[in-house]
Amino acid sequence: MVKKASHHLKVTDFGNDFLWGVAIAAAQNEGAHDSYGKGPSIWDTFSKRNGRIKSSHNPYIACDFYHRYKDDLLLVKALGFKAFRFSISWPRILPEGGSKLNKEGVAFYHRMIDECLKLDLVPFLTLYHWDMPAALEKEGGWASHLLLKWFTRFATLCAEEFGDKVKNWIILNEPFGFTSLGYMLGKHAPGKRGMQNFLPAILNASLAQASGGQIVRSIVSKSRIGTTFSCSEVIPHTHKERDIAAARRVDVLLNRLFIEPALGQGYPREDFKFLDKLELYTWKYTKRMHFDFDFIGVQNYFPVVVRYSPLIPVLQAMQVKAVRRKVPKTAMGWEISPDGFYNIIKRFWSYEKVKEIIVTENGAAFKDKLMNGVVDDVDRIEYFHQHIRALLKAKQEGINVTGYFAWTLMDNFEWSEGYHARFGLVHVDFRTQLRTIKNSGYWFRDFLNSR
Ligand code: GAL
Protein backbone atom coordinates (compact mmCIF):
# COMPACT_ATOMS: atom_id res chain seq x y z
CA MET A 1 0.00 0.00 0.00
CA VAL A 2 1.28 3.40 -0.98
CA LYS A 3 1.36 6.39 1.34
CA LYS A 4 -1.70 8.57 0.81
CA ALA A 5 -1.39 11.99 -0.73
CA SER A 6 -3.52 14.39 1.21
CA HIS A 7 -3.44 17.51 -0.93
CA HIS A 8 -6.46 17.88 -3.17
CA LEU A 9 -5.58 17.98 -6.83
CA LYS A 10 -7.53 19.94 -9.42
CA VAL A 11 -7.09 19.78 -13.15
CA THR A 12 -7.50 23.55 -13.39
CA ASP A 13 -4.19 23.92 -11.53
CA PHE A 14 -2.53 22.92 -14.80
CA GLY A 15 -4.26 25.56 -16.92
CA ASN A 16 -6.64 25.12 -19.83
CA ASP A 17 -4.08 24.29 -22.50
CA PHE A 18 -2.45 21.40 -20.67
CA LEU A 19 -3.02 18.22 -22.68
CA TRP A 20 -4.22 15.12 -20.86
CA GLY A 21 -3.95 11.89 -22.76
CA VAL A 22 -3.66 8.15 -22.56
CA ALA A 23 -1.22 5.95 -24.50
CA ILE A 24 -1.24 2.52 -26.11
CA ALA A 25 1.04 0.74 -28.62
CA ALA A 26 0.23 -1.42 -31.64
CA ALA A 27 1.99 -4.65 -30.66
CA GLN A 28 0.57 -4.51 -27.15
CA ASN A 29 -3.06 -3.88 -28.12
CA GLU A 30 -4.05 -4.53 -31.71
CA GLY A 31 -3.89 -8.31 -32.08
CA ALA A 32 -4.98 -9.47 -35.59
CA HIS A 33 -1.32 -10.40 -35.94
CA ASP A 34 -1.59 -12.38 -39.16
CA SER A 35 -4.79 -11.07 -40.71
CA TYR A 36 -5.73 -8.33 -43.14
CA GLY A 37 -2.37 -8.54 -44.84
CA LYS A 38 -0.15 -7.90 -41.80
CA GLY A 39 3.29 -9.51 -41.81
CA PRO A 40 4.93 -10.96 -38.68
CA SER A 41 6.69 -8.58 -36.30
CA ILE A 42 9.75 -9.46 -34.23
CA TRP A 43 7.43 -9.87 -31.24
CA ASP A 44 5.30 -12.43 -33.11
CA THR A 45 8.39 -14.52 -33.87
CA PHE A 46 10.14 -13.89 -30.53
CA SER A 47 7.12 -15.19 -28.63
CA LYS A 48 7.42 -18.54 -30.43
CA ARG A 49 10.81 -19.10 -28.80
CA ASN A 50 10.68 -21.17 -25.63
CA GLY A 51 10.89 -19.43 -22.32
CA ARG A 52 11.27 -15.91 -23.69
CA ILE A 53 7.87 -14.65 -22.54
CA LYS A 54 6.21 -15.53 -19.25
CA SER A 55 3.72 -18.42 -19.55
CA SER A 56 4.51 -18.53 -23.29
CA HIS A 57 2.09 -15.67 -23.88
CA ASN A 58 2.07 -13.97 -27.27
CA PRO A 59 0.70 -10.75 -28.78
CA TYR A 60 -1.44 -12.51 -31.41
CA ILE A 61 -4.81 -11.37 -30.07
CA ALA A 62 -3.83 -8.97 -27.28
CA CYS A 63 -6.80 -6.63 -26.62
CA ASP A 64 -8.20 -7.12 -30.11
CA PHE A 65 -8.02 -3.35 -30.53
CA TYR A 66 -7.94 -3.89 -34.30
CA HIS A 67 -11.60 -4.90 -34.18
CA ARG A 68 -12.68 -3.01 -31.08
CA TYR A 69 -11.04 0.35 -31.63
CA LYS A 70 -14.34 2.22 -31.87
CA ASP A 71 -15.54 1.09 -28.46
CA ASP A 72 -12.09 1.56 -26.97
CA LEU A 73 -11.89 5.14 -28.22
CA LEU A 74 -15.29 5.74 -26.64
CA LEU A 75 -13.70 4.63 -23.37
CA VAL A 76 -10.85 7.13 -23.84
CA LYS A 77 -13.49 9.78 -24.30
CA ALA A 78 -15.60 8.58 -21.37
CA LEU A 79 -12.59 8.83 -19.06
CA GLY A 80 -12.24 12.47 -20.04
CA PHE A 81 -8.95 12.38 -21.95
CA LYS A 82 -8.33 14.86 -24.76
CA ALA A 83 -5.45 13.11 -26.53
CA PHE A 84 -4.74 9.57 -27.66
CA ARG A 85 -1.27 8.20 -28.28
CA PHE A 86 -0.93 5.07 -30.43
CA SER A 87 1.71 3.56 -32.69
CA ILE A 88 1.77 2.30 -36.25
CA SER A 89 2.63 -1.36 -36.65
CA TRP A 90 5.38 -1.30 -39.27
CA PRO A 91 4.64 -4.86 -40.54
CA ARG A 92 0.94 -4.04 -40.79
CA ILE A 93 1.59 -1.51 -43.51
CA LEU A 94 4.84 -2.92 -44.92
CA PRO A 95 4.43 -6.66 -44.25
CA GLU A 96 7.82 -7.65 -45.60
CA GLY A 97 9.56 -4.44 -44.65
CA GLY A 98 10.26 -3.75 -48.32
CA SER A 99 8.27 -1.63 -50.70
CA LYS A 100 5.21 -3.90 -50.89
CA LEU A 101 2.40 -1.92 -49.31
CA ASN A 102 -0.53 -3.44 -47.43
CA LYS A 103 -3.40 -1.12 -48.30
CA GLU A 104 -5.70 -2.77 -45.80
CA GLY A 105 -3.31 -1.94 -43.00
CA VAL A 106 -3.09 1.69 -44.10
CA ALA A 107 -6.89 1.83 -44.30
CA PHE A 108 -7.16 0.59 -40.71
CA TYR A 109 -5.09 3.49 -39.40
CA HIS A 110 -7.13 5.94 -41.47
CA ARG A 111 -10.34 4.58 -39.94
CA MET A 112 -8.90 4.70 -36.45
CA ILE A 113 -7.50 8.23 -36.81
CA ASP A 114 -10.80 9.41 -38.34
CA GLU A 115 -12.59 8.02 -35.32
CA CYS A 116 -10.25 9.96 -32.99
CA LEU A 117 -10.94 13.16 -34.90
CA LYS A 118 -14.67 12.51 -34.86
CA LEU A 119 -14.51 12.18 -31.07
CA ASP A 120 -12.37 15.30 -30.83
CA LEU A 121 -9.37 13.37 -29.52
CA VAL A 122 -5.96 14.74 -30.52
CA PRO A 123 -4.02 11.90 -32.16
CA PHE A 124 -0.35 11.44 -31.20
CA LEU A 125 1.24 9.03 -33.63
CA THR A 126 4.35 7.05 -32.65
CA LEU A 127 6.24 5.69 -35.64
CA TYR A 128 8.21 2.99 -33.88
CA HIS A 129 7.03 1.29 -30.72
CA TRP A 130 9.16 -1.87 -30.90
CA ASP A 131 7.50 -4.03 -33.56
CA MET A 132 9.90 -4.23 -36.47
CA PRO A 133 8.91 -6.45 -39.41
CA ALA A 134 10.43 -9.91 -38.80
CA ALA A 135 11.66 -9.88 -42.40
CA LEU A 136 13.94 -6.94 -41.63
CA GLU A 137 15.27 -8.54 -38.48
CA LYS A 138 16.45 -11.44 -40.63
CA GLU A 139 18.70 -8.93 -42.32
CA GLY A 140 20.06 -7.56 -39.06
CA GLY A 141 17.26 -5.31 -37.80
CA TRP A 142 18.37 -2.25 -35.87
CA ALA A 143 21.98 -3.42 -36.03
CA SER A 144 22.02 -3.44 -39.83
CA HIS A 145 23.63 -0.71 -41.94
CA LEU A 146 20.47 -0.87 -44.06
CA LEU A 147 18.29 0.27 -41.17
CA LEU A 148 18.27 3.89 -42.19
CA LYS A 149 17.09 3.08 -45.68
CA TRP A 150 14.24 0.93 -44.32
CA PHE A 151 13.21 3.44 -41.70
CA THR A 152 13.22 6.26 -44.25
CA ARG A 153 10.77 4.33 -46.39
CA PHE A 154 8.49 3.66 -43.42
CA ALA A 155 8.58 7.22 -42.07
CA THR A 156 8.00 8.75 -45.50
CA LEU A 157 5.03 6.51 -46.14
CA CYS A 158 3.43 7.32 -42.79
CA ALA A 159 4.00 11.05 -43.13
CA GLU A 160 2.50 11.10 -46.61
CA GLU A 161 -0.46 8.96 -45.62
CA PHE A 162 -1.41 10.40 -42.25
CA GLY A 163 0.16 13.87 -42.27
CA ASP A 164 -3.04 15.65 -43.23
CA LYS A 165 -4.87 14.26 -40.21
CA VAL A 166 -2.14 13.88 -37.60
CA LYS A 167 -0.02 16.83 -36.48
CA ASN A 168 1.67 15.41 -33.38
CA TRP A 169 4.39 12.93 -34.23
CA ILE A 170 6.69 10.82 -32.07
CA ILE A 171 9.58 9.26 -33.94
CA LEU A 172 10.80 6.55 -31.54
CA ASN A 173 9.52 5.01 -28.36
CA GLU A 174 12.41 4.71 -25.90
CA PRO A 175 15.42 3.94 -28.09
CA PHE A 176 17.37 2.89 -25.00
CA GLY A 177 14.58 0.44 -24.11
CA PHE A 178 14.55 -1.49 -27.36
CA THR A 179 18.29 -1.36 -28.04
CA SER A 180 19.36 -2.45 -24.54
CA LEU A 181 16.68 -5.07 -23.91
CA GLY A 182 16.55 -6.31 -27.49
CA TYR A 183 20.17 -6.07 -28.69
CA MET A 184 22.32 -6.09 -25.54
CA LEU A 185 20.53 -8.18 -22.89
CA GLY A 186 18.38 -10.41 -25.10
CA LYS A 187 15.33 -9.99 -22.88
CA HIS A 188 13.10 -8.42 -25.52
CA ALA A 189 12.66 -9.14 -29.22
CA PRO A 190 14.73 -9.89 -31.20
CA GLY A 191 16.60 -11.46 -28.26
CA LYS A 192 20.14 -10.51 -29.29
CA ARG A 193 23.02 -9.92 -26.93
CA GLY A 194 26.40 -8.28 -26.77
CA MET A 195 28.24 -5.13 -27.70
CA GLN A 196 28.57 -6.18 -31.34
CA ASN A 197 24.78 -5.85 -31.63
CA PHE A 198 24.21 -3.04 -29.13
CA LEU A 199 26.69 -0.51 -30.52
CA PRO A 200 25.44 -0.51 -34.13
CA ALA A 201 21.84 -0.57 -32.86
CA ILE A 202 22.28 2.56 -30.73
CA LEU A 203 24.00 4.38 -33.55
CA ASN A 204 21.30 3.43 -36.06
CA ALA A 205 18.52 4.34 -33.63
CA SER A 206 20.03 7.80 -33.10
CA LEU A 207 20.43 8.36 -36.82
CA ALA A 208 16.90 7.11 -37.56
CA GLN A 209 15.50 9.33 -34.84
CA ALA A 210 16.97 12.48 -36.35
CA SER A 211 16.29 11.58 -39.96
CA GLY A 212 12.74 10.51 -39.09
CA GLY A 213 12.22 13.96 -37.59
CA GLN A 214 13.49 15.63 -40.76
CA ILE A 215 11.29 13.49 -42.99
CA VAL A 216 8.13 14.23 -41.03
CA ARG A 217 8.94 17.95 -40.87
CA SER A 218 9.50 18.13 -44.61
CA ILE A 219 6.23 16.37 -45.46
CA VAL A 220 3.72 17.29 -42.75
CA SER A 221 2.60 20.90 -42.56
CA LYS A 222 2.20 22.43 -39.08
CA SER A 223 3.69 19.31 -37.49
CA ARG A 224 4.82 19.08 -33.89
CA ILE A 225 7.58 16.52 -33.69
CA GLY A 226 8.92 14.76 -30.64
CA THR A 227 10.61 11.56 -29.67
CA THR A 228 10.51 9.73 -26.36
CA PHE A 229 13.16 8.76 -23.84
CA SER A 230 12.98 6.37 -20.96
CA CYS A 231 14.65 7.89 -17.92
CA SER A 232 15.24 7.22 -14.24
CA GLU A 233 16.69 9.21 -11.44
CA VAL A 234 19.93 7.43 -10.52
CA ILE A 235 20.75 7.53 -6.82
CA PRO A 236 24.16 6.48 -5.44
CA HIS A 237 23.78 4.07 -2.52
CA THR A 238 26.24 5.99 -0.32
CA HIS A 239 28.24 9.21 -0.54
CA LYS A 240 31.41 7.23 -1.21
CA GLU A 241 33.19 8.45 -4.30
CA ARG A 242 33.11 5.03 -5.98
CA ASP A 243 29.32 4.75 -5.56
CA ILE A 244 28.89 8.24 -6.93
CA ALA A 245 31.09 7.35 -9.90
CA ALA A 246 29.09 4.15 -10.47
CA ALA A 247 25.87 6.17 -10.46
CA ARG A 248 27.39 8.53 -13.01
CA ARG A 249 28.11 5.63 -15.38
CA VAL A 250 24.58 4.27 -15.05
CA ASP A 251 23.21 7.76 -15.61
CA VAL A 252 25.07 7.95 -18.93
CA LEU A 253 23.37 4.77 -20.06
CA LEU A 254 19.87 5.33 -18.72
CA ASN A 255 19.47 9.04 -19.24
CA ARG A 256 22.08 10.58 -21.53
CA LEU A 257 22.91 8.08 -24.25
CA PHE A 258 20.14 9.10 -26.61
CA ILE A 259 19.04 12.59 -25.69
CA GLU A 260 22.49 14.17 -25.94
CA PRO A 261 23.16 13.06 -29.54
CA ALA A 262 19.58 14.11 -30.40
CA LEU A 263 20.26 17.60 -29.02
CA GLY A 264 23.42 17.85 -31.09
CA GLN A 265 25.88 17.26 -28.24
CA GLY A 266 27.19 13.93 -29.50
CA TYR A 267 27.74 10.95 -27.21
CA PRO A 268 28.43 11.58 -23.49
CA ARG A 269 31.78 9.85 -23.80
CA GLU A 270 33.76 11.58 -21.12
CA ASP A 271 31.81 9.86 -18.34
CA PHE A 272 31.76 6.36 -19.68
CA LYS A 273 34.58 4.42 -21.25
CA PHE A 274 32.67 1.90 -23.33
CA LEU A 275 31.43 4.70 -25.49
CA ASP A 276 34.99 5.25 -26.68
CA LYS A 277 34.32 2.40 -29.02
CA LEU A 278 31.93 4.78 -30.71
CA GLU A 279 34.74 7.18 -31.40
CA LEU A 280 34.82 6.00 -34.94
CA TYR A 281 31.27 7.08 -35.37
CA THR A 282 31.27 10.23 -33.30
CA TRP A 283 33.02 12.77 -35.48
CA LYS A 284 31.21 11.58 -38.54
CA TYR A 285 27.75 11.38 -37.12
CA THR A 286 27.34 14.04 -34.45
CA LYS A 287 25.58 16.33 -36.91
CA ARG A 288 23.41 13.63 -38.39
CA MET A 289 22.12 12.53 -34.98
CA HIS A 290 20.90 16.03 -34.21
CA PHE A 291 17.35 17.18 -34.82
CA ASP A 292 15.56 20.21 -33.50
CA PHE A 293 12.63 18.45 -31.82
CA ASP A 294 9.56 20.52 -30.95
CA PHE A 295 9.06 18.54 -27.78
CA ILE A 296 10.82 15.84 -25.79
CA GLY A 297 8.73 12.92 -24.55
CA VAL A 298 9.74 11.91 -21.04
CA GLN A 299 8.79 8.40 -19.87
CA ASN A 300 9.48 7.60 -16.27
CA TYR A 301 8.41 4.70 -14.11
CA PHE A 302 10.95 4.37 -11.29
CA PRO A 303 14.27 5.60 -9.87
CA VAL A 304 17.27 3.31 -9.46
CA VAL A 305 19.74 3.02 -6.60
CA VAL A 306 23.19 1.73 -7.49
CA ARG A 307 26.49 1.00 -5.82
CA TYR A 308 29.96 0.16 -6.99
CA SER A 309 30.73 -3.52 -7.47
CA PRO A 310 33.77 -4.94 -9.21
CA LEU A 311 32.10 -8.31 -9.76
CA ILE A 312 29.41 -7.66 -12.32
CA PRO A 313 30.27 -9.40 -15.57
CA VAL A 314 27.59 -7.98 -17.92
CA LEU A 315 29.31 -4.80 -18.87
CA GLN A 316 32.77 -4.87 -17.40
CA ALA A 317 33.25 -1.18 -17.65
CA MET A 318 30.11 -0.70 -15.58
CA GLN A 319 31.10 -2.25 -12.23
CA VAL A 320 27.77 -1.47 -10.67
CA LYS A 321 25.10 -3.30 -8.78
CA ALA A 322 21.47 -2.32 -8.29
CA VAL A 323 20.42 -1.90 -4.67
CA ARG A 324 16.95 -3.00 -3.63
CA ARG A 325 15.55 -0.73 -0.94
CA LYS A 326 12.67 -1.50 1.36
CA VAL A 327 10.26 1.05 -0.06
CA PRO A 328 6.83 0.69 -1.71
CA LYS A 329 7.05 -1.00 -5.10
CA THR A 330 4.72 -1.82 -7.98
CA ALA A 331 3.95 -5.35 -9.19
CA MET A 332 6.95 -4.99 -11.52
CA GLY A 333 9.16 -4.59 -8.45
CA TRP A 334 9.77 -0.95 -9.41
CA GLU A 335 10.25 1.61 -6.65
CA ILE A 336 7.46 4.16 -6.42
CA SER A 337 8.95 7.63 -6.29
CA PRO A 338 7.09 10.80 -7.23
CA ASP A 339 10.20 12.74 -6.16
CA GLY A 340 12.26 10.75 -8.64
CA PHE A 341 9.70 11.65 -11.32
CA TYR A 342 9.95 15.34 -10.42
CA ASN A 343 13.76 15.22 -10.31
CA ILE A 344 14.12 13.58 -13.70
CA ILE A 345 11.74 16.02 -15.38
CA LYS A 346 13.78 18.84 -13.90
CA ARG A 347 16.95 17.20 -15.10
CA PHE A 348 15.72 16.86 -18.69
CA TRP A 349 14.53 20.46 -18.60
CA SER A 350 18.04 21.54 -17.61
CA TYR A 351 19.24 20.80 -21.14
CA GLU A 352 19.31 24.18 -22.75
CA LYS A 353 18.02 22.94 -26.09
CA VAL A 354 14.92 21.24 -24.69
CA LYS A 355 12.05 23.59 -25.51
CA GLU A 356 9.06 21.67 -24.30
CA ILE A 357 8.48 18.49 -22.36
CA ILE A 358 5.51 16.16 -22.62
CA VAL A 359 5.24 13.21 -20.27
CA THR A 360 4.41 10.63 -22.92
CA GLU A 361 4.16 7.69 -20.47
CA ASN A 362 3.86 7.21 -16.72
CA GLY A 363 1.92 4.57 -14.84
CA ALA A 364 2.08 1.42 -12.76
CA ALA A 365 1.22 -2.28 -12.66
CA PHE A 366 -0.45 -3.71 -9.59
CA LYS A 367 -2.01 -7.05 -8.76
CA ASP A 368 -5.57 -6.04 -9.60
CA LYS A 369 -8.56 -8.08 -8.56
CA LEU A 370 -11.84 -7.97 -10.41
CA MET A 371 -14.59 -8.63 -7.88
CA ASN A 372 -18.30 -8.28 -8.61
CA GLY A 373 -17.55 -6.10 -11.59
CA VAL A 374 -15.25 -3.76 -9.64
CA VAL A 375 -11.48 -3.28 -9.62
CA ASP A 376 -10.66 -1.23 -6.54
CA ASP A 377 -7.07 -0.37 -7.45
CA VAL A 378 -6.34 2.11 -4.67
CA ASP A 379 -2.58 1.76 -5.14
CA ARG A 380 -2.79 2.88 -8.74
CA ILE A 381 -4.99 5.83 -7.81
CA GLU A 382 -2.42 6.83 -5.26
CA TYR A 383 0.40 6.38 -7.77
CA PHE A 384 -1.23 8.68 -10.31
CA HIS A 385 -2.27 11.17 -7.66
CA GLN A 386 1.26 11.51 -6.29
CA HIS A 387 2.94 11.62 -9.68
CA ILE A 388 0.55 14.21 -11.05
CA ARG A 389 1.13 16.29 -7.95
CA ALA A 390 4.88 16.05 -8.53
CA LEU A 391 4.27 17.12 -12.13
CA LEU A 392 2.33 20.14 -10.94
CA LYS A 393 5.24 21.16 -8.74
CA ALA A 394 7.56 20.97 -11.76
CA LYS A 395 5.14 23.01 -13.85
CA GLN A 396 4.66 25.63 -11.16
CA GLU A 397 8.40 26.04 -10.94
CA GLY A 398 8.39 27.18 -14.54
CA ILE A 399 9.24 23.99 -16.44
CA ASN A 400 7.53 24.05 -19.81
CA VAL A 401 5.73 20.74 -19.46
CA THR A 402 2.60 20.83 -21.60
CA GLY A 403 1.04 17.38 -21.44
CA TYR A 404 0.77 14.09 -19.60
CA PHE A 405 -0.13 10.68 -21.01
CA ALA A 406 -1.08 7.89 -18.64
CA TRP A 407 0.26 4.45 -19.43
CA THR A 408 -2.07 2.85 -20.33
CA LEU A 409 -5.69 2.73 -21.45
CA MET A 410 -6.26 -0.95 -20.77
CA ASP A 411 -4.36 -4.00 -19.57
CA ASN A 412 -2.37 -5.29 -22.51
CA PHE A 413 0.55 -7.40 -23.70
CA GLU A 414 3.37 -6.26 -21.42
CA TRP A 415 6.29 -7.54 -23.56
CA SER A 416 8.25 -10.31 -21.82
CA GLU A 417 5.84 -10.22 -18.87
CA GLY A 418 3.06 -11.35 -21.21
CA TYR A 419 -0.39 -10.59 -19.81
CA HIS A 420 0.75 -10.91 -16.19
CA ALA A 421 1.51 -7.24 -15.60
CA ARG A 422 -1.60 -5.08 -15.67
CA PHE A 423 -1.00 -1.36 -16.24
CA GLY A 424 -4.46 -0.35 -17.50
CA LEU A 425 -7.03 2.14 -16.28
CA VAL A 426 -9.43 -0.39 -17.75
CA HIS A 427 -9.35 -4.06 -16.82
CA VAL A 428 -9.37 -6.58 -19.68
CA ASP A 429 -10.54 -10.16 -19.29
CA PHE A 430 -8.34 -11.78 -21.93
CA ARG A 431 -10.66 -14.78 -22.32
CA THR A 432 -13.75 -12.75 -23.13
CA GLN A 433 -12.24 -9.34 -24.05
CA LEU A 434 -14.64 -7.79 -21.58
CA ARG A 435 -13.55 -4.31 -20.49
CA THR A 436 -14.21 -3.03 -16.96
CA ILE A 437 -13.23 0.49 -15.97
CA LYS A 438 -11.07 0.28 -12.84
CA ASN A 439 -11.55 2.69 -9.98
CA SER A 440 -8.36 4.42 -11.16
CA GLY A 441 -10.15 5.06 -14.45
CA TYR A 442 -13.04 6.66 -12.57
CA TRP A 443 -10.54 8.60 -10.48
CA PHE A 444 -9.02 10.00 -13.68
CA ARG A 445 -12.45 10.85 -15.04
CA ASP A 446 -13.33 12.77 -11.88
CA PHE A 447 -9.96 14.50 -11.83
CA LEU A 448 -10.22 15.53 -15.48
CA ASN A 449 -13.73 16.83 -14.85
CA SER A 450 -12.74 18.79 -11.75
CA ARG A 451 -13.03 22.09 -13.61
C1 GAL B 1 7.56 1.41 -21.45
C2 GAL B 1 7.05 1.00 -22.81
C3 GAL B 1 5.60 0.65 -22.79
C4 GAL B 1 5.15 -0.09 -21.56
C5 GAL B 1 5.74 0.47 -20.28
C6 GAL B 1 5.46 -0.32 -19.04
O1 GAL B 1 8.94 1.28 -21.40
O2 GAL B 1 7.23 2.05 -23.71
O3 GAL B 1 5.31 -0.02 -23.99
O4 GAL B 1 5.30 -1.44 -21.69
O5 GAL B 1 7.11 0.63 -20.41
O6 GAL B 1 6.41 -1.29 -18.83
Side-chain angles (χ1 to χ4, degrees), residues 128-158:
Y128 188 73
H129 201 132
W130 303 3
D131 48 354
M132 164 168 283
L136 296 182
E137 184 51 46
K138 279 198 195 123
E139 294 178 53
W142 283 90
S144 166
H145 68 285
L146 296 172
L147 184 278
L148 212 56
K149 185 178 124 201
W150 302 330
F151 193 73
T152 298
R153 181 157 52 208
F154 174 54
T156 307
L157 171 67
C158 290

Side-chain angles (χ1 to χ4, degrees), residues 348-359:
F348 270 53
W349 180 244
S350 73
Y351 286 110
E352 209 180 304
K353 290 201 189 113
V354 172
K355 298 184 270 194
E356 179 179 337
I357 287 178
I358 297 179
V359 176

Side-chain angles (χ1 to χ4, degrees), residues 92-112:
R92 191 177 292 291
I93 64 173
L94 295 169
E96 287 147 27
S99 47
K100 196 184 127 217
L101 179 75
N102 175 30
K103 287 195 183 142
E104 241 185 308
V106 173
F108 164 69
Y109 291 110
H110 276 295
R111 288 198 300 278
M112 200 262 285

Side-chain angles (χ1 to χ4, degrees), residues 158-189:
C158 290
E160 287 175 352
E161 273 296 335
F162 309 120
D164 287 345
K165 300 175 181 176
V166 177
K167 298 301 168 191
N168 292 281
W169 290 70
I170 289 169
I171 307 302
L172 298 182
N173 184 71
E174 298 188 356
F176 181 70
F178 69 80
T179 55
S180 65
L181 294 166
Y183 288 85
M184 176 70 213
L185 301 171
K187 290 191 187 299
H188 275 195

Side-chain angles (χ1 to χ4, degrees), residues 25 28 129-130 173-174 299 301 332 334 361 407 414-415 423:
Q28 296 178 278
H129 201 132
W130 303 3
N173 184 71
E174 298 188 356
Q299 314 203 147
Y301 288 87
M332 299 289 280
W334 297 344
E361 280 184 25
W407 183 267
E414 176 53 27
W415 311 116
F423 277 85

Side-chain angles (χ1 to χ4, degrees), residues 78-97:
L79 297 185
F81 291 104
K82 299 274 183 284
F84 182 61
R85 177 179 170 222
F86 61 92
S87 72
I88 303 285
S89 158
W90 189 346
R92 191 177 292 291
I93 64 173
L94 295 169
E96 287 147 27

